[in-house]
Amino acid sequence: GEERTDPPQHGQGSRQTMTDRDPSPAIIVPELRDYHQINAEVVRRLDRGDTHVRLEGVERQRLLAAGLSGRWRATIELIGDAGPELAAGLDAPGLVVVCRGASADGAGSGLRSGGMLLLGPTGAAVGYAQSGGLIVAIGPAGPRAGLKMSGGELVLATSTGPLAGEGQTGGRLYLPMSGVGPHVGWNARG
């Protein structure tokens, strides 16, 4: 038998690059259980240059992707419902966290830089004390979204509970034309 080699496709060289390699297998959250171990594995993959990290089997674990800080350019995708304080304190301008399920209370709390896309419903206080970055909540948002927000952008696409923007001193809070709970901007100063 002859060995057959196909010519490279248009725009591809003969050497394989980091972006051409097979994606890493998903992190199976129930196997690691502890958020410290899960976040350490996420950082390990980001540090080695992965541009997409997928967490599967997410079942209300708290503090996933919390406290991450770095110069990565990547997406972290969660499959399942995230527990409290998803991506709390995130400070990574090139990182985007995508949650394909619901997110519990405090998603994006203390966000400094980076982005979040929340596709399911969110609990109370999404974007609590947010000082930078971008959060887009596609599903309905719970009460007190943007509580004590001082910077960044928070986009609530469908509906929100009471007290959105409570105590807000800065940043931008985008709300739908309808479906907004009572007392928007209560005690806001910015």
Side-chain angles (χ1 to χ4, degrees):
E2 282 181 41
E3 185 177 319
R4 183 173 172 239
T5 58
D6 293 326
Q9 298 294 318
H10 177 69
Q12 293 180 339
S14 59
R15 292 188 307 166
Q16 190 175 21
T17 65
M18 288 287 285
T19 57
D20 293 335
R21 67 186 169 113
D22 291 334
S24 296
I27 296 170
I28 308 302
V29 172
E31 290 177 4
L32 295 179
R33 298 183 190 197
D34 179 68
Y35 73 88
H36 293 289
Q37 291 178 331
I38 296 163
N39 291 343
E41 178 61 17
V42 168
V43 168
R44 188 183 73 74
R45 291 183 184 202
L46 293 171
D47 284 346
R48 77 175 184 201
D50 287 13
T51 58
H52 185 258
V53 178
R54 183 178 173 116
L55 302 176
E56 290 185 356
V58 175
E59 299 171 357
R60 305 302 241 170
Q61 286 86 357
R62 67 188 186 106
L63 296 166
L64 295 177
L68 299 185
S69 179
R71 293 283 174 201
W72 312 289
R73 297 198 65 72
T75 301
I76 299 172
E77 179 183 22
L78 288 84
I79 308 300
D81 296 336
E85 300 185 66
L86 170 64
L90 180 67
D91 190 9
L95 204 59
V96 176
V97 175
V98 177
C99 183
R100 296 205 173 272
S103 53
D105 298 350
S109 65
L111 180 71
R112 294 183 194 112
S113 66
M116 294 182 71
L117 176 59
L118 307 172
L119 298 173
T122 67
V126 62
Y128 168 70
Q130 179 182 352
S131 62
L134 169 66
I135 300 173
V136 178
I138 300 298
R144 304 181 95 182
L147 173 66
K148 296 189 178 183
M149 183 179 176
S150 64
E153 296 177 291
L154 176 57
V155 179
L156 306 174
T158 54
S159 65
T160 181
L163 296 164
E166 178 185 4
Q168 181 181 4
T169 60
R172 293 182 182 197
L173 176 60
Y174 299 94
L175 300 165
M177 295 296 291
S178 62
V180 177
H183 310 296
V184 171
W186 181 263
N187 204 25
R189 299 177 300 280

